[in-house]
Amino acid sequence: MKGSLLYEGKAKKVYTTDESDQLILSYKNDATAFNGKKKDEFEGKGRLNNLITSNIFEYLHQHQLETHFIKALNETEQLVKKTTIIPLEVVVRNVAAGSITRRLGIEERTRFTPPLVELFYKKDELNDPIINDAHAYHLTDVTEEELSSIKQMARMINEQLMGLFREVGLQLVDFKLEFGRLEDGTIVLADEISPDTCRLWDLETGEKMDKDVFREDIGNLIDTYETILQRLEAYTCAK
Ligand code: TMP
Ligand code: ASP
């Protein structure tokens, strides 16, 4: 049963449940970008990100990658294991796009082999700055061993997701992950994986099929996310 509201973020609300080690995530229709400076609301977005994340986390479980996800409860809510989020945004990049093109003057569409893993400090007041490992040890409780395992998990998740998205005609350009600590200290993948947190380009047309349609005002967000969900469902149901 859904308990009290524990926390409200930009894209989700978090509720307690009857079980002390489980939480309910409720996906909102709000869209924000550029650290909340651009805002809008899209009817149906919460449903799409909930169902897309659920589909992807189930796929990761089938490939022995552990996450906080337990099950989707309804169209906009999912049950997850309770974790304490480590305030790091772990970004994996296969192809240059977004902030790295501006920060380092790398041309968009340049390939990274091997993929790059970057760390950002999750702190709205500071605009989520990019940080290095030493900063992460100072700013969070993560140990050297844990950070190395987080980066390894991020690379393995990237391998699986590149394969999944390729099967549905999409190139996984980059994405952001967050990890959380279970009560026993184990670190697992948490938060969401959706077109809000990934860059996805259509393999045939090169068209952007993610939150960049909102950031850059270049298309219909709901139609785009619906296409992603339908392609993922068609692939995972057929298997
Ligand atoms: P960036 O190019 O802005 O650094 O973003 C890299 C990837 O991480 C992109 O797929 C979007 C995702 N991302 C988030 O999900 N949340 C964020 O707060 C940021 C900055 C990026
Ligand atoms: N998610 C971040 C924000 O809302 C950055 C972005 O996606 O553009 O500020």
Side-chain angles (χ1 to χ4, degrees), residues 40-58:
D40 210 336
E41 214 186 297
F42 296 90
E43 184 67 37
K45 174 173 175 286
R47 167 185 170 267
L48 289 164
N49 279 351
N50 175 42
L51 299 180
I52 292 170
T53 295
S54 299
N55 186 296
I56 291 175
F57 278 20
E58 276 162 12

Side-chain angles (χ1 to χ4, degrees), residues 10 31-38 124 127-128 196 211 215:
K10 282 183 282 196
T32 64
F34 312 117
N35 202 24
K37 285 198 276 291
K38 184 175 163 90
D124 280 342
N127 252 324
D128 298 349
D196 269 9
K211 199 163 90 173
R215 293 191 190 92

Side-chain angles (χ1 to χ4, degrees), residues 131-190:
I131 58 170
N132 67 23
D133 293 12
H135 297 139
Y137 305 139
H138 181 80
L139 294 166
T140 76
D141 63 356
V142 83
T143 66
E144 231 175 289
E145 208 178 17
E146 285 173 340
L147 189 54
S148 129
S149 121
I150 285 174
K151 288 185 191 171
Q152 183 57 23
M153 284 191 266
R155 290 184 191 284
M156 283 160 49
I157 292 163
N158 183 45
E159 286 296 312
Q160 291 303 333
L161 292 187
M162 275 204 296
L164 171 64
F165 284 119
R166 199 183 304 119
E167 290 289 342
V168 301
L170 295 166
Q171 180 179 31
L172 177 60
V173 172
D174 59 28
F175 58 98
K176 184 264 302 180
L177 301 174
E178 292 181 27
F179 292 85
R181 215 181 267 288
L182 298 171
E183 208 122 284
D184 69 1
T186 317
I187 294 178
V188 295
L189 179 66

Side-chain angles (χ1 to χ4, degrees), residues 177-236:
L177 301 174
E178 292 181 27
F179 292 85
R181 215 181 267 288
L182 298 171
E183 208 122 284
D184 69 1
T186 317
I187 294 178
V188 295
L189 179 66
D191 197 53
E192 66 179 282
I193 300 184
S194 72
D196 269 9
T197 63
C198 300
R199 282 197 175 89
L200 301 164
W201 293 347
D202 189 90
L203 271 175
E204 273 180 20
T205 64
E207 203 182 335
K208 295 181 177 179
M209 299 197 54
D210 54 61
K211 199 163 90 173
D212 276 346
V213 304
F214 167 67
R215 293 191 190 92
E216 301 172 11
D217 287 315
I218 50 172
N220 182 307
L221 179 137
I222 294 297
D223 290 352
T224 303
Y225 285 25
E226 187 69 54
T227 304
I228 305 278
L229 177 64
Q230 280 172 15
R231 288 197 200 177
L232 285 171
E233 283 185 344
Y235 176 67
T236 47

